[in-house]
């Protein structure tokens, strides 16, 4: 029987929200799974939960604002207590591919500042090996051709992401190159190599940034811990 993906997302989101404590700073990820968590958090705020939120994208900021979740400027704080975010893929070591929604740069910064990063996902996101989902790489537009040639040297096949016939522009004013590397045998090594390319400002491999993935699977919740 076909799985109800939306139900799985909702289940994971509801479970993740239980990790949020009163009087804390929380990070809000981006995407269709996190949407459900944000709606839940707004309900808790209405009922008295005291939190301040750092959104990872303009879209999330708009949604949080519209639902009455208090926002705090990331540049006024030293750390974030708990972040709830989504992922495009995760493996058994809780390494992730993120960036399908184009918010990977802020998401990675927020994850790096977070004590407890919680990833929520439906069951389609769990993979044996990362790489079926094309790896998003954020580049400054000036360097996009150069970066593409360096990606080729790493055996990747990259295409600039388009939206409505124009290059997709991130919240930080950059382009995204979606790269097919095939199955990624060594995500750590690839992550380092990509970080070394001038013009790359971020990429969607998240290594050692989460210790908890909460996955909806049919009617149940599976929590993966590292
Ligand atoms: C955005 C992301 C998202 O978390 C990822 O794309 C998953 O999105 P969704 O929950 O809609 O499947 O990394 O940059």
């Amino acid at each position: 029987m076909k799985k109800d993906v939306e139900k799985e997302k909702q289940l994971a989101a509801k479970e993740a929200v239980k990790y949020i404590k009163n009087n804390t700073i929380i990070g809000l990820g981006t995407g269709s799974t996190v949407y459900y968590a944000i709606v839940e958090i707004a309900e808790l705020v209405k009922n008295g939960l005291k939190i301040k939120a750092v959104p990872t994208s303009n879209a999330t900021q708009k949604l949080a604002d519209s639902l009455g979740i208090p926002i705090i400027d990331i540049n006024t704080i030293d750390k974030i207590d708990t972040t709830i975010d989504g992922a495009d893929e995760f493996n058994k070591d809780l390494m992730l591919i993120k960036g399908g929604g184009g918010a990977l740069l802020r998401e990675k910064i927020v994850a790096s500042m977070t004590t407890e990063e919680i990833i929520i996902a439906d069951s389609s996101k769990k993979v044996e090996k990362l790489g079926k989902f094309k790896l998003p790489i954020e580049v400054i537009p000036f360097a996009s051709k150069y970066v593409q040639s360096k990606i080729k040297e790493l055996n990747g096949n990259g295409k600039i992401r388009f939206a409505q016939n124009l290059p997709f522009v991130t919240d930080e004013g950059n382009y995204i190159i979606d790269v097919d590397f095939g199955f990624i045998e060594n995500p750590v090594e690839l992550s380092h190599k990509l970080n070394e390319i001038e013009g790359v400002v971020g990429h969607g491999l998240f290594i050692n940034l989460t210790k908890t993935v909460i996955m909806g699977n049919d009617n149940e919740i599976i929590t993966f811990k590292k």
Side-chain angles (χ1 to χ4, degrees):
M1 210 174 73
K2 206 168 171 288
K3 287 186 171 181
D4 183 343
V5 171
E6 292 309 309
K7 171 114 184 278
E8 291 183 347
K9 289 178 184 185
Q10 281 176 44
L11 277 177
K14 270 197 174 190
E15 181 68 13
V17 166
K18 293 181 188 161
Y19 285 67
I20 295 176
K21 298 188 185 75
N22 207 24
N23 293 314
T24 56
I25 297 178
I26 64 165
L28 297 176
T30 296
S32 60
T33 316
V34 169
Y35 167 83
Y36 292 113
I38 296 173
V39 170
E40 286 287 323
I41 293 165
E43 264 318 293
L44 295 176
V45 168
K46 263 189 215 136
N47 292 324
L49 178 74
K50 299 252 174 309
I51 46 106
K52 292 214 160 60
V54 178
T56 53
S57 62
N58 294 343
T60 290
Q61 171 140 8
K62 210 167 147 197
L63 177 64
D65 266 341
S66 74
L67 295 172
I69 298 175
I71 304 292
I72 188 166
D73 178 352
I74 192 167
N75 283 313
T76 64
I77 55 175
D78 297 320
K79 70 175 182 67
I80 296 163
D81 297 295
T82 308
T83 291
I84 300 177
D85 203 349
D88 298 298
E89 286 185 352
F90 70 95
N91 69 10
K92 67 173 183 11
D93 299 317
L94 308 192
M95 295 175 182
L96 320 172
I97 286 186
K98 284 185 53 54
L104 60 129
L105 188 54
R106 289 192 195 174
E107 287 172 339
K108 201 179 258 188
I109 293 163
V110 165
S112 303
M113 288 176 68
T114 295
T115 308
E116 184 160 47
E117 173 89 4
I118 299 168
I119 296 299
I120 52 177
D122 63 79
S123 58
S124 70
K125 307 289 181 64
K126 185 170 186 301
V127 297
E128 213 39 56
K129 279 187 185 171
L130 300 175
K132 187 161 178 238
F133 192 92
K134 293 190 182 65
L135 181 66
I137 300 182
E138 184 157 344
V139 297
I140 62 165
F142 185 80
S144 55
K145 193 163 183 333
Y146 168 72
V147 172
Q148 266 179 311
S149 71
K150 298 306 276 183
I151 285 168
K152 262 208 189 102
E153 286 174 22
L154 298 174
N155 297 322
N157 182 12
K159 286 201 176 68
I160 293 182
R161 187 181 298 182
F162 272 70
Q164 287 148 6
N165 289 325
L166 288 171
F168 172 86
V169 178
T170 69
D171 288 344
E172 303 297 330
N174 298 311
Y175 289 172
I176 289 192
I177 305 177
D178 292 304
V179 186
D180 185 358
F181 282 107
F183 287 117
I184 301 172
E185 299 297 338
N186 191 336
V188 176
E189 186 184 64
L190 180 60
S191 170
H192 289 315
K193 285 188 172 159
L194 293 173
N195 286 336
E196 279 169 12
I197 302 174
E198 301 299 341
V200 168
V201 289
H203 60 74
L205 280 172
F206 281 45
I207 315 258
N208 287 334
L209 284 171
T210 184
K211 292 196 176 79
T212 308
V213 175
I214 300 175
M215 183 181 90
N217 186 37
D218 280 332
N219 292 320
E220 56 169 1
I221 296 157
I222 305 178
T223 302
F224 300 88
K225 290 262 186 194
K226 214 173 107 173

